[in-house]
Amino acid sequence: MSTGPKSINSGRDKKGRLRHHAVCGILMHSSLAVTVEGLPLGLAAVKFWNRDKFRGTAALKRKINPTRVPIEKKESVRWLENLRQSIDRFGQPDRCIHVGDRESDIFELYCLTQELGTHFVVRTCVDRLAGDGSHTVAAEMSDVGTAGQHIIEVRDDAGEVVKVALDVRFKRIRVLPPIGKQRRYPSLDLTVIHAVEPSAPKGRKRIEWKLLSDLPVASCAEAVEKIKWYAMRWKIEVFHKILKSGCRAEDAKLRTADRLANLVSVFCIISWRVLWLTMLARTSPDSPPTVALTDEEIVIPDRLIGDAGNRRTQPGTLIFYLTKLARLGGYLARAADPPPGNTVIWRGLTRLTDIKLGAEIAGDLTVGN
């Protein structure tokens, strides 16, 4: 995520001319910890950075093969740094599965996971050399038969939800490092998993997931398990959407990087809580409300929102009060409505905070009088 840099209007000078000045901008690379059920536990790692450190890398890539550029000189080193930071925070590397999209298809990352004793599932974009180096991963996978099918639900370009059957193939393959780095990094035995639509559909792009993992896979069920883990990667996109659309982090106009980092750090906590509440209502709806809400966040909705719209939920449960919270944000709670989403939870929390502050100010004014 990026907060800039950007130029803003500073008003007019004595002659009436518009004044502009550049404000500081930073980039953020974050890692979100999520359970296999999709419940976000918080940020595992955050790195704030800018591109000054990597100036000249693009010019260097034009002179030599990009695979020969050391990872330490590339912006992608942030993936390795976040991996180390996550492991330092959790302290149990063997229990962690690091999931990444095609941007994290980095051979150095795979080697680092082995060094740290942790695991990964990554969507690949590079057709790497395999076996004895005379062929690629794609060539070796072309001879692998379909092990089974995995049914998923997707939306087409018209917004309609359709069920899609993916052919699942997998194989343990010897994967070689890039030619320019074979002296520095060893070959790795990795599991390649392909989940692909048999034919190209009309109205949307063909689904084609090519995953790479250090974990062994012995059956179609185990391959589907890894595919479901990769699908959890979308949670980080939802987190960033809340951060950008709800907290409007990219609109921050602070003048120093330290101030921006402090502000975005607070926004990260708020964004995580909105996502956590939304998912907690789906994974543990019958939990007591006190596991996620403060006493004020329970009492105020009770006084403002009646129980008539909550007939589908059990009184006194977490989902009962989160539905009330969502109704503060515009959720209608109709019989056919899906569970509250991030947007109405965000709006409900915002309004609840304003109401709570107003009540506290009113109380102070009353005491003062």
Side-chain angles (χ1 to χ4, degrees):
M1 189 203 75
S2 170
T3 62
K6 56 179 76 74
S7 177
I8 66 171
N9 185 353
S10 304
R12 297 181 181 273
D13 60 17
K14 293 181 179 180
K15 295 183 179 180
R17 296 173 298 190
L18 289 173
R19 296 178 299 180
H20 294 271
H21 71 272
V23 295
C24 177
I26 57 174
L27 297 161
M28 184 185 79
H29 185 75
S30 55
S31 301
L32 184 69
V34 179
T35 67
V36 293
E37 292 83 14
L39 184 65
L41 303 178
L43 289 181
V46 176
K47 177 178 176 59
F48 294 107
W49 57 291
N50 60 53
R51 291 196 163 97
D52 289 344
K53 179 181 177 181
F54 302 100
R55 284 181 179 176
T57 302
L60 182 61
K61 289 180 179 180
R62 288 194 291 267
K63 294 180 181 179
I64 64 175
N65 189 319
T67 62
R68 296 181 183 272
V69 179
I71 187 68
E72 294 80 10
K73 294 184 178 181
K74 297 180 180 180
E75 293 182 7
S76 51
V77 72
R78 67 187 187 275
W79 289 95
L80 278 65
E81 293 172 347
N82 269 34
L83 176 64
R84 291 191 179 96
Q85 190 180 138
S86 299
I87 294 303
D88 289 342
R89 177 160 287 107
F90 291 135
Q92 294 181 300
D94 58 313
R95 296 186 60 189
C96 298
I97 313 295
H98 301 271
V99 179
D101 61 5
R102 286 172 287 193
E103 190 180 353
S104 62
D105 184 13
I106 306 168
F107 199 86
E108 290 89 341
L109 180 72
Y110 306 150
C111 292
L112 182 60
T113 58
Q114 289 208 344
E115 178 186 330
L116 297 177
T118 190
H119 308 287
F120 69 88
V121 175
V122 168
R123 187 177 179 185
T124 63
C125 63
V126 180
D127 188 15
R128 303 184 183 278
L129 291 174
D132 59 2
S134 61
H135 60 278
T136 65
V137 170
E140 190 160 342
M141 287 298 293
S142 64
D143 297 329
V144 178
T146 301
Q149 286 192 326
H150 176 46
I151 308 297
I152 63 172
E153 290 186 349
V154 299
R155 291 187 182 274
D156 58 20
D157 291 345
E160 298 294 330
V161 177
V162 295
K163 290 187 176 182
V164 177
L166 305 180
D167 288 341
V168 178
R169 296 179 291 141
F170 62 89
K171 185 179 181 181
R172 194 75 172 177
I173 294 177
R174 186 77 169 176
V175 180
L176 279 60
I179 293 176
K181 298 181 179 180
Q182 289 185 355
R183 292 184 179 181
R184 186 176 179 183
Y185 299 101
S187 301
L188 300 174
D189 289 324
L190 303 175
T191 301
V192 180
I193 304 171
H194 285 184
V196 182
E197 274 189 278
S199 59
K202 294 182 179 180
R204 60 174 175 79
K205 294 181 179 179
R206 182 185 187 184
I207 298 175
E208 188 174 16
W209 289 354
K210 296 181 178 180
L211 309 180
L212 202 61
S213 177
D214 66 309
L215 294 164
V217 172
S219 65
C220 183
E222 291 183 1
V224 168
E225 178 185 48
K226 310 307 183 287
I227 295 171
K228 290 181 178 179
W229 289 350
Y230 172 73
M232 291 296 170
R233 193 206 68 82
W234 192 250
K235 298 298 180 185
I236 192 71
E237 303 294 346
V238 178
F239 169 79
H240 284 149
K241 180 181 178 182
I242 299 170
L243 191 62
K244 295 176 183 180
S245 301
C247 295
R248 304 182 69 84
E250 291 181 320
D251 294 340
K253 297 180 180 180
L254 300 180
R255 295 171 181 257
T256 69
D258 287 342
R259 292 174 182 176
L260 275 173
N262 290 338
L263 177 64
V264 174
S265 297
V266 174
F267 284 164
C268 283
I269 297 173
I270 297 171
S271 301
W272 161 77
R273 190 177 186 227
V274 172
L275 180 57
W276 177 62
L277 288 173
T278 303
M279 296 309 303
L280 194 63
R282 303 178 188 186
T283 59
S284 305
D286 296 327
S287 299
T290 51
V291 302
L293 302 172
T294 64
D295 292 340
E296 293 86 355
E297 291 169 339
I298 295 173
V299 171
I300 294 176
D302 259 344
R303 294 185 179 182
L304 295 177
I305 304 294
D307 297 343
N310 283 15
R311 291 172 181 171
R312 292 185 302 158
T313 60
Q314 182 67 31
T317 60
L318 176 64
I319 187 61
F320 180 81
Y321 283 97
L322 285 180
T323 300
K324 286 193 173 189
L325 178 65
R327 288 174 65 192
L328 280 175
Y331 181 64
L332 299 178
R334 296 169 297 194
D337 286 341
N342 296 299
T343 301
V344 289
I345 292 292
W346 163 263
R347 292 173 182 166
L349 276 176
T350 302
R351 189 179 176 200
L352 181 61
T353 301
D354 291 340
I355 294 170
K356 179 183 174 184
L357 288 174
E360 291 175 352
I361 293 172
D364 289 343
L365 292 175
T366 300
V367 173
N369 291 335

Short mmCIF file of all heavy atoms in Angstrom, two decimals, residues 291-347:
data_model
loop_
_atom_site.label_atom_id
_atom_site.label_comp_id
_atom_site.label_asym_id
_atom_site.label_seq_id
_atom_site.Cartn_x
_atom_site.Cartn_y
_atom_site.Cartn_z
N VAL A 291 -16.40 -11.30 24.17
CA VAL A 291 -15.12 -11.73 23.57
C VAL A 291 -14.63 -10.72 22.54
O VAL A 291 -13.44 -10.72 22.20
CB VAL A 291 -15.26 -13.11 22.89
CG1 VAL A 291 -15.73 -14.16 23.88
CG2 VAL A 291 -16.19 -13.06 21.68
N ALA A 292 -15.53 -9.83 22.06
CA ALA A 292 -15.12 -8.91 21.01
C ALA A 292 -15.54 -7.46 21.27
O ALA A 292 -14.99 -6.56 20.65
CB ALA A 292 -15.71 -9.36 19.68
N LEU A 293 -16.50 -7.24 22.16
CA LEU A 293 -17.04 -5.90 22.37
C LEU A 293 -16.85 -5.46 23.82
O LEU A 293 -16.89 -6.28 24.74
CB LEU A 293 -18.53 -5.86 22.02
CG LEU A 293 -18.90 -6.27 20.58
CD1 LEU A 293 -20.42 -6.36 20.45
CD2 LEU A 293 -18.33 -5.29 19.57
N THR A 294 -16.66 -4.16 24.01
CA THR A 294 -16.55 -3.61 25.36
C THR A 294 -17.95 -3.46 25.95
O THR A 294 -18.96 -3.59 25.25
CB THR A 294 -15.86 -2.24 25.33
OG1 THR A 294 -16.68 -1.31 24.60
CG2 THR A 294 -14.49 -2.33 24.66
N ASP A 295 -18.01 -3.15 27.24
CA ASP A 295 -19.31 -2.97 27.89
C ASP A 295 -20.10 -1.85 27.24
O ASP A 295 -21.32 -1.96 27.04
CB ASP A 295 -19.11 -2.67 29.39
CG ASP A 295 -18.56 -3.87 30.15
OD1 ASP A 295 -18.70 -5.00 29.63
OD2 ASP A 295 -17.99 -3.67 31.24
N GLU A 296 -19.40 -0.73 26.89
CA GLU A 296 -20.09 0.40 26.25
C GLU A 296 -20.62 0.01 24.87
O GLU A 296 -21.70 0.45 24.46
CB GLU A 296 -19.15 1.59 26.12
CG GLU A 296 -18.76 2.23 27.43
CD GLU A 296 -17.56 1.54 28.07
OE1 GLU A 296 -17.12 0.50 27.52
OE2 GLU A 296 -17.08 2.04 29.11
N GLU A 297 -19.87 -0.84 24.14
CA GLU A 297 -20.29 -1.25 22.80
C GLU A 297 -21.45 -2.24 22.85
O GLU A 297 -22.05 -2.53 21.82
CB GLU A 297 -19.10 -1.86 22.06
CG GLU A 297 -18.03 -0.83 21.70
CD GLU A 297 -16.76 -1.46 21.20
OE1 GLU A 297 -16.52 -2.66 21.49
OE2 GLU A 297 -15.98 -0.77 20.52
N ILE A 298 -21.75 -2.75 24.02
CA ILE A 298 -22.92 -3.62 24.20
C ILE A 298 -24.12 -2.81 24.70
O ILE A 298 -25.24 -2.96 24.21
CB ILE A 298 -22.59 -4.76 25.19
CG1 ILE A 298 -21.51 -5.68 24.59
CG2 ILE A 298 -23.84 -5.55 25.55
CD1 ILE A 298 -20.99 -6.74 25.54
N VAL A 299 -23.88 -1.91 25.66
CA VAL A 299 -24.98 -1.15 26.28
C VAL A 299 -25.58 -0.15 25.30
O VAL A 299 -26.81 -0.04 25.19
CB VAL A 299 -24.47 -0.43 27.54
CG1 VAL A 299 -25.55 0.52 28.07
CG2 VAL A 299 -24.09 -1.44 28.62
N ILE A 300 -24.74 0.59 24.56
CA ILE A 300 -25.26 1.65 23.68
C ILE A 300 -26.15 1.08 22.58
O ILE A 300 -27.26 1.59 22.37
CB ILE A 300 -24.09 2.48 23.10
CG1 ILE A 300 -23.39 3.25 24.23
CG2 ILE A 300 -24.60 3.44 22.03
CD1 ILE A 300 -22.16 4.02 23.78
N PRO A 301 -25.74 0.04 21.84
CA PRO A 301 -26.66 -0.54 20.84
C PRO A 301 -27.94 -1.07 21.46
O PRO A 301 -29.01 -1.01 20.83
CB PRO A 301 -25.83 -1.66 20.20
CG PRO A 301 -24.42 -1.25 20.39
CD PRO A 301 -24.40 -0.57 21.74
N ASP A 302 -27.85 -1.61 22.69
CA ASP A 302 -29.06 -2.09 23.36
C ASP A 302 -30.07 -0.96 23.56
O ASP A 302 -31.28 -1.16 23.45
CB ASP A 302 -28.70 -2.71 24.72
CG ASP A 302 -28.67 -4.24 24.65
OD1 ASP A 302 -29.23 -4.78 23.68
OD2 ASP A 302 -28.11 -4.87 25.55
N ARG A 303 -29.57 0.23 23.87
CA ARG A 303 -30.46 1.36 24.12
C ARG A 303 -30.97 1.99 22.83
O ARG A 303 -32.07 2.58 22.82
CB ARG A 303 -29.73 2.42 24.96
CG ARG A 303 -29.38 1.95 26.37
CD ARG A 303 -28.77 3.07 27.17
NE ARG A 303 -28.44 2.64 28.53
CZ ARG A 303 -27.92 3.44 29.46
NH1 ARG A 303 -27.65 4.72 29.16
NH2 ARG A 303 -27.65 2.98 30.66
N LEU A 304 -30.19 1.88 21.76
CA LEU A 304 -30.56 2.56 20.51
C LEU A 304 -31.31 1.67 19.53
O LEU A 304 -32.14 2.15 18.75
CB LEU A 304 -29.29 3.10 19.83
CG LEU A 304 -28.53 4.20 20.57
CD1 LEU A 304 -27.28 4.57 19.79
CD2 LEU A 304 -29.40 5.43 20.77
N ILE A 305 -31.00 0.38 19.54
CA ILE A 305 -31.56 -0.55 18.55
C ILE A 305 -32.45 -1.56 19.25
O ILE A 305 -32.02 -2.27 20.16
CB ILE A 305 -30.44 -1.27 17.78
CG1 ILE A 305 -29.50 -0.27 17.13
CG2 ILE A 305 -31.04 -2.22 16.76
CD1 ILE A 305 -30.12 0.56 16.03
N GLY A 306 -33.68 -1.66 18.81
CA GLY A 306 -34.59 -2.65 19.37
C GLY A 306 -34.26 -4.05 18.91
O GLY A 306 -33.41 -4.28 18.04
N ASP A 307 -34.93 -5.03 19.50
CA ASP A 307 -34.67 -6.44 19.19
C ASP A 307 -35.52 -6.96 18.05
O ASP A 307 -35.36 -8.11 17.63
CB ASP A 307 -34.93 -7.30 20.43
CG ASP A 307 -33.97 -6.95 21.57
OD1 ASP A 307 -32.95 -6.29 21.29
OD2 ASP A 307 -34.25 -7.32 22.73
N ALA A 308 -36.43 -6.14 17.52
CA ALA A 308 -37.36 -6.64 16.51
C ALA A 308 -36.64 -7.11 15.26
O ALA A 308 -37.06 -8.08 14.61
CB ALA A 308 -38.37 -5.54 16.15
N GLY A 309 -35.56 -6.43 14.89
CA GLY A 309 -34.84 -6.81 13.67
C GLY A 309 -33.84 -7.93 13.87
O GLY A 309 -33.13 -8.30 12.93
N ASN A 310 -33.76 -8.47 15.08
CA ASN A 310 -32.77 -9.50 15.39
C ASN A 310 -33.42 -10.86 15.66
O ASN A 310 -32.89 -11.67 16.41
CB ASN A 310 -31.94 -9.10 16.62
CG ASN A 310 -30.89 -8.06 16.28
OD1 ASN A 310 -30.96 -7.45 15.22
ND2 ASN A 310 -29.93 -7.88 17.15
N ARG A 311 -34.55 -11.10 15.07
CA ARG A 311 -35.28 -12.33 15.38
C ARG A 311 -34.57 -13.56 14.85
O ARG A 311 -34.83 -14.67 15.30
CB ARG A 311 -36.69 -12.24 14.78
CG ARG A 311 -37.56 -11.19 15.49
CD ARG A 311 -38.88 -10.95 14.77
NE ARG A 311 -39.68 -9.93 15.45
CZ ARG A 311 -40.79 -9.40 14.95
NH1 ARG A 311 -41.23 -9.82 13.76
NH2 ARG A 311 -41.44 -8.47 15.61
N ARG A 312 -33.67 -13.39 13.88
CA ARG A 312 -32.96 -14.55 13.34
C ARG A 312 -31.80 -14.97 14.23
O ARG A 312 -31.21 -16.03 14.03
CB ARG A 312 -32.42 -14.22 11.95
CG ARG A 312 -33.50 -14.03 10.89
CD ARG A 312 -32.85 -13.84 9.53
NE ARG A 312 -31.95 -12.71 9.52
CZ ARG A 312 -30.96 -12.54 8.65
NH1 ARG A 312 -30.72 -13.45 7.77
NH2 ARG A 312 -30.21 -11.44 8.69
N THR A 313 -31.43 -14.14 15.20
CA THR A 313 -30.27 -14.42 16.04
C THR A 313 -30.69 -14.68 17.48
O THR A 313 -31.72 -14.20 17.95
CB THR A 313 -29.27 -13.25 16.00
OG1 THR A 313 -29.92 -12.07 16.47
CG2 THR A 313 -28.78 -13.01 14.58
N GLN A 314 -29.85 -15.44 18.18
CA GLN A 314 -30.13 -15.78 19.57
C GLN A 314 -29.75 -14.61 20.47
O GLN A 314 -28.61 -14.14 20.44
CB GLN A 314 -29.33 -17.03 19.97
CG GLN A 314 -29.56 -17.51 21.39
CD GLN A 314 -30.98 -18.04 21.61
OE1 GLN A 314 -31.59 -18.56 20.69
NE2 GLN A 314 -31.49 -17.89 22.81
N PRO A 315 -30.68 -14.08 21.28
CA PRO A 315 -30.36 -12.96 22.18
C PRO A 315 -29.17 -13.30 23.09
O PRO A 315 -29.02 -14.42 23.57
CB PRO A 315 -31.65 -12.77 22.98
CG PRO A 315 -32.73 -13.32 22.10
CD PRO A 315 -32.10 -14.47 21.37
N GLY A 316 -28.33 -12.29 23.31
CA GLY A 316 -27.19 -12.46 24.20
C GLY A 316 -25.95 -13.03 23.55
O GLY A 316 -24.92 -13.18 24.22
N THR A 317 -26.02 -13.34 22.25
CA THR A 317 -24.86 -13.90 21.56
C THR A 317 -24.08 -12.80 20.84
O THR A 317 -24.55 -11.67 20.68
CB THR A 317 -25.30 -14.96 20.53
OG1 THR A 317 -26.17 -14.35 19.56
CG2 THR A 317 -26.03 -16.11 21.22
N LEU A 318 -22.90 -13.17 20.36
CA LEU A 318 -22.07 -12.21 19.63
C LEU A 318 -22.76 -11.73 18.36
O LEU A 318 -22.78 -10.53 18.08
CB LEU A 318 -20.72 -12.87 19.29
CG LEU A 318 -19.77 -12.02 18.45
CD1 LEU A 318 -19.35 -10.77 19.20
CD2 LEU A 318 -18.54 -12.84 18.05
N ILE A 319 -23.33 -12.64 17.59
CA ILE A 319 -23.97 -12.25 16.35
C ILE A 319 -25.17 -11.35 16.61
O ILE A 319 -25.50 -10.47 15.80
CB ILE A 319 -24.38 -13.50 15.53
CG1 ILE A 319 -24.91 -13.09 14.14
CG2 ILE A 319 -25.40 -14.33 16.28
CD1 ILE A 319 -23.95 -12.37 13.29
N PHE A 320 -25.83 -11.52 17.75
CA PHE A 320 -26.97 -10.69 18.12
C PHE A 320 -26.54 -9.23 18.24
O PHE A 320 -27.19 -8.32 17.70
CB PHE A 320 -27.56 -11.19 19.45
CG PHE A 320 -28.75 -10.41 19.95
CD1 PHE A 320 -30.02 -10.65 19.45
CD2 PHE A 320 -28.59 -9.45 20.94
CE1 PHE A 320 -31.12 -9.94 19.91
CE2 PHE A 320 -29.68 -8.74 21.41
CZ PHE A 320 -30.95 -8.98 20.90
N TYR A 321 -25.41 -8.99 18.93
CA TYR A 321 -24.94 -7.62 19.13
C TYR A 321 -24.19 -7.07 17.92
O TYR A 321 -24.25 -5.87 17.65
CB TYR A 321 -24.07 -7.55 20.39
CG TYR A 321 -24.90 -7.56 21.65
CD1 TYR A 321 -25.11 -8.74 22.36
CD2 TYR A 321 -25.53 -6.40 22.10
CE1 TYR A 321 -25.90 -8.75 23.51
CE2 TYR A 321 -26.32 -6.40 23.23
CZ TYR A 321 -26.50 -7.58 23.93
OH TYR A 321 -27.30 -7.58 25.05
N LEU A 322 -23.52 -7.94 17.17
CA LEU A 322 -22.88 -7.45 15.95
C LEU A 322 -23.92 -7.06 14.90
O LEU A 322 -23.69 -6.15 14.10
CB LEU A 322 -21.93 -8.52 15.39
CG LEU A 322 -20.60 -8.68 16.15
CD1 LEU A 322 -19.75 -9.76 15.50
CD2 LEU A 322 -19.83 -7.37 16.21
N THR A 323 -25.06 -7.74 14.91
CA THR A 323 -26.15 -7.35 14.01
C THR A 323 -26.68 -5.98 14.40
O THR A 323 -26.98 -5.14 13.54
CB THR A 323 -27.28 -8.40 14.05
OG1 THR A 323 -26.77 -9.67 13.62
CG2 THR A 323 -28.42 -8.00 13.12
N LYS A 324 -26.82 -5.73 15.71
CA LYS A 324 -27.23 -4.40 16.16
C LYS A 324 -26.20 -3.34 15.76
O LYS A 324 -26.56 -2.24 15.32
CB LYS A 324 -27.41 -4.39 17.69
CG LYS A 324 -28.66 -5.09 18.18
CD LYS A 324 -28.91 -4.77 19.64
CE LYS A 324 -30.25 -5.32 20.11
NZ LYS A 324 -30.63 -4.86 21.45
N LEU A 325 -24.93 -3.67 15.92
CA LEU A 325 -23.87 -2.76 15.52
C LEU A 325 -23.94 -2.46 14.03
O LEU A 325 -23.82 -1.30 13.60
CB LEU A 325 -22.50 -3.37 15.87
CG LEU A 325 -21.26 -2.56 15.49
CD1 LEU A 325 -21.21 -1.25 16.27
CD2 LEU A 325 -20.00 -3.37 15.74
N ALA A 326 -24.16 -3.50 13.23
CA ALA A 326 -24.26 -3.32 11.77
C ALA A 326 -25.48 -2.49 11.40
O ALA A 326 -25.46 -1.72 10.45
CB ALA A 326 -24.31 -4.69 11.09
N ARG A 327 -26.56 -2.63 12.17
CA ARG A 327 -27.78 -1.84 11.90
C ARG A 327 -27.52 -0.36 12.14
O ARG A 327 -28.11 0.50 11.48
CB ARG A 327 -28.92 -2.35 12.76
CG ARG A 327 -29.46 -3.72 12.30
CD ARG A 327 -30.50 -4.26 13.25
NE ARG A 327 -31.70 -3.42 13.28
CZ ARG A 327 -32.67 -3.54 14.19
NH1 ARG A 327 -32.56 -4.46 15.14
NH2 ARG A 327 -33.72 -2.75 14.15
N LEU A 328 -26.61 -0.03 13.05
CA LEU A 328 -26.20 1.36 13.21
C LEU A 328 -25.52 1.87 11.94
O LEU A 328 -25.54 3.07 11.65
CB LEU A 328 -25.24 1.51 14.39
CG LEU A 328 -25.83 1.56 15.80
CD1 LEU A 328 -24.72 1.59 16.83
CD2 LEU A 328 -26.74 2.77 15.96
N GLY A 329 -24.91 0.93 11.19
CA GLY A 329 -24.22 1.29 9.97
C GLY A 329 -25.06 1.14 8.72
O GLY A 329 -24.53 1.23 7.60
N GLY A 330 -26.35 0.89 8.87
CA GLY A 330 -27.23 0.81 7.72
C GLY A 330 -27.65 -0.59 7.32
O GLY A 330 -28.38 -0.76 6.34
N TYR A 331 -27.21 -1.60 8.04
CA TYR A 331 -27.60 -2.99 7.74
C TYR A 331 -29.09 -3.16 8.05
O TYR A 331 -29.57 -2.77 9.12
CB TYR A 331 -26.76 -3.94 8.58
CG TYR A 331 -27.03 -5.41 8.38
CD1 TYR A 331 -26.79 -6.02 7.16
CD2 TYR A 331 -27.49 -6.19 9.44
CE1 TYR A 331 -27.01 -7.38 6.98
CE2 TYR A 331 -27.72 -7.55 9.27
CZ TYR A 331 -27.48 -8.14 8.04
OH TYR A 331 -27.70 -9.49 7.88
N LEU A 332 -29.84 -3.76 7.12
CA LEU A 332 -31.29 -3.87 7.27
C LEU A 332 -31.74 -5.13 8.01
O LEU A 332 -32.87 -5.19 8.49
CB LEU A 332 -31.95 -3.83 5.88
CG LEU A 332 -31.71 -2.54 5.08
CD1 LEU A 332 -32.37 -2.63 3.72
CD2 LEU A 332 -32.20 -1.33 5.85
N ALA A 333 -30.88 -6.15 8.08
CA ALA A 333 -31.19 -7.38 8.83
C ALA A 333 -32.46 -8.05 8.35
O ALA A 333 -33.25 -8.57 9.14
CB ALA A 333 -31.26 -7.09 10.33
N ARG A 334 -32.69 -8.03 7.03
CA ARG A 334 -33.85 -8.73 6.49
C ARG A 334 -33.59 -10.23 6.45
O ARG A 334 -32.45 -10.68 6.50
CB ARG A 334 -34.16 -8.20 5.09
CG ARG A 334 -34.56 -6.73 5.07
CD ARG A 334 -34.60 -6.18 3.68
NE ARG A 334 -33.28 -6.21 3.06
CZ ARG A 334 -32.96 -5.55 1.95
NH1 ARG A 334 -33.88 -4.81 1.34
NH2 ARG A 334 -31.75 -5.64 1.44
N ALA A 335 -34.65 -11.00 6.33
CA ALA A 335 -34.54 -12.46 6.39
C ALA A 335 -33.62 -13.00 5.30
O ALA A 335 -32.91 -13.98 5.52
CB ALA A 335 -35.93 -13.08 6.28
N ALA A 336 -33.63 -12.38 4.13
CA ALA A 336 -32.82 -12.89 3.01
C ALA A 336 -31.43 -12.25 2.94
O ALA A 336 -30.65 -12.61 2.07
CB ALA A 336 -33.56 -12.65 1.69
N ASP A 337 -31.13 -11.32 3.85
CA ASP A 337 -29.83 -10.64 3.80
C ASP A 337 -28.71 -11.57 4.26
O ASP A 337 -28.90 -12.35 5.21
CB ASP A 337 -29.85 -9.39 4.68
CG ASP A 337 -30.65 -8.26 4.07
OD1 ASP A 337 -30.86 -8.31 2.84
OD2 ASP A 337 -31.04 -7.34 4.81
N PRO A 338 -27.54 -11.47 3.65
CA PRO A 338 -26.38 -12.23 4.13
C PRO A 338 -25.89 -11.67 5.45
O PRO A 338 -26.36 -10.60 5.88
CB PRO A 338 -25.34 -12.02 3.01
CG PRO A 338 -25.71 -10.70 2.41
CD PRO A 338 -27.21 -10.63 2.47
N PRO A 339 -24.95 -12.33 6.13
CA PRO A 339 -24.42 -11.78 7.39
C PRO A 339 -23.80 -10.41 7.16
O PRO A 339 -23.41 -10.06 6.05
CB PRO A 339 -23.35 -12.82 7.80
CG PRO A 339 -23.75 -14.07 7.09
CD PRO A 339 -24.38 -13.65 5.80
N PRO A 340 -23.71 -9.59 8.20
CA PRO A 340 -23.14 -8.24 8.05
C PRO A 340 -21.74 -8.29 7.45
O PRO A 340 -20.93 -9.16 7.80
CB PRO A 340 -23.11 -7.71 9.49
CG PRO A 340 -24.14 -8.50 10.22
CD PRO A 340 -24.14 -9.86 9.59
N GLY A 341 -21.45 -7.36 6.56
CA GLY A 341 -20.15 -7.29 5.92
C GLY A 341 -19.28 -6.21 6.52
O GLY A 341 -19.66 -5.50 7.47
N ASN A 342 -18.09 -6.04 5.93
CA ASN A 342 -17.11 -5.08 6.46
C ASN A 342 -17.62 -3.65 6.42
O ASN A 342 -17.36 -2.87 7.35
CB ASN A 342 -15.81 -5.18 5.66
CG ASN A 342 -15.15 -6.53 5.81
OD1 ASN A 342 -14.77 -6.93 6.90
ND2 ASN A 342 -14.99 -7.24 4.70
N THR A 343 -18.34 -3.30 5.36
CA THR A 343 -18.77 -1.90 5.20
C THR A 343 -19.73 -1.47 6.30
O THR A 343 -19.56 -0.41 6.92
CB THR A 343 -19.42 -1.70 3.82
OG1 THR A 343 -18.47 -2.03 2.80
CG2 THR A 343 -19.86 -0.25 3.64
N VAL A 344 -20.76 -2.29 6.57
CA VAL A 344 -21.74 -1.90 7.59
C VAL A 344 -21.14 -2.01 8.99
O VAL A 344 -21.51 -1.24 9.89
CB VAL A 344 -23.03 -2.74 7.48
CG1 VAL A 344 -23.81 -2.36 6.24
CG2 VAL A 344 -22.75 -4.24 7.50
N ILE A 345 -20.22 -2.94 9.21
CA ILE A 345 -19.53 -3.02 10.50
C ILE A 345 -18.69 -1.76 10.70
O ILE A 345 -18.67 -1.17 11.79
CB ILE A 345 -18.66 -4.28 10.58
CG1 ILE A 345 -19.53 -5.55 10.63
CG2 ILE A 345 -17.74 -4.23 11.81
CD1 ILE A 345 -20.33 -5.72 11.90
N TRP A 346 -17.99 -1.34 9.64
CA TRP A 346 -17.18 -0.12 9.72
C TRP A 346 -18.05 1.10 10.04
O TRP A 346 -17.73 1.88 10.94
CB TRP A 346 -16.44 0.09 8.40
CG TRP A 346 -15.90 1.48 8.23
CD1 TRP A 346 -16.48 2.51 7.55
CD2 TRP A 346 -14.70 2.01 8.80
NE1 TRP A 346 -15.72 3.64 7.64
CE2 TRP A 346 -14.62 3.38 8.41
CE3 TRP A 346 -13.71 1.47 9.60
CZ2 TRP A 346 -13.57 4.18 8.79
CZ3 TRP A 346 -12.65 2.30 9.98
CH2 TRP A 346 -12.59 3.63 9.58
N ARG A 347 -19.14 1.25 9.31
CA ARG A 347 -20.03 2.39 9.54
C ARG A 347 -20.63 2.35 10.94
O ARG A 347 -20.76 3.37 11.62
CB ARG A 347 -21.14 2.41 8.50
CG ARG A 347 -20.67 2.72 7.08
CD ARG A 347 -21.82 2.53 6.11
NE ARG A 347 -21.42 2.78 4.73
CZ ARG A 347 -22.15 2.45 3.68
NH1 ARG A 347 -23.32 1.86 3.86
NH2 ARG A 347 -21.72 2.70 2.45
#
